[in-house]
Amino acid sequence: MPADFELGGVYLPPIAQVLLLSLPLFLLLDALLRRLGVLAFAWHPALFQGALYAAICAVLVLLMGVSV
């Protein structure tokens, strides 16, 4: 399990690390999906984006071995 990380005097628990690491990945993947036109096929683009962010967070949790 990853240890707490200090960022500017603030300690970040592992789940906050996952949330911060998944944000740039989400932004890159979202831009790619927009460019390819995949979001045009989504029923509700905002729900799709929320589910995509949750899926990226879940994958990082599994890869990092974080116990939530």
Side-chain angles (χ1 to χ4, degrees), residues 5-65:
F5 181 73
E6 182 200 355
L7 181 65
V10 177
Y11 287 100
L12 295 174
I15 190 64
Q17 296 172 28
V18 168
L19 293 174
L20 288 176
L21 282 174
S22 61
L23 188 59
L25 294 174
F26 165 73
L27 292 175
L28 286 172
L29 191 57
D30 185 52
L32 177 68
L33 291 176
R34 282 183 188 274
R35 186 171 297 243
L36 293 175
V38 174
L39 286 179
F41 296 107
W43 169 70
H44 197 291
L47 286 177
F48 181 80
Q49 290 172 327
L52 180 64
Y53 183 71
I56 292 171
C57 288
V59 167
L60 283 178
V61 165
L62 290 174
L63 289 177
M64 289 177 63

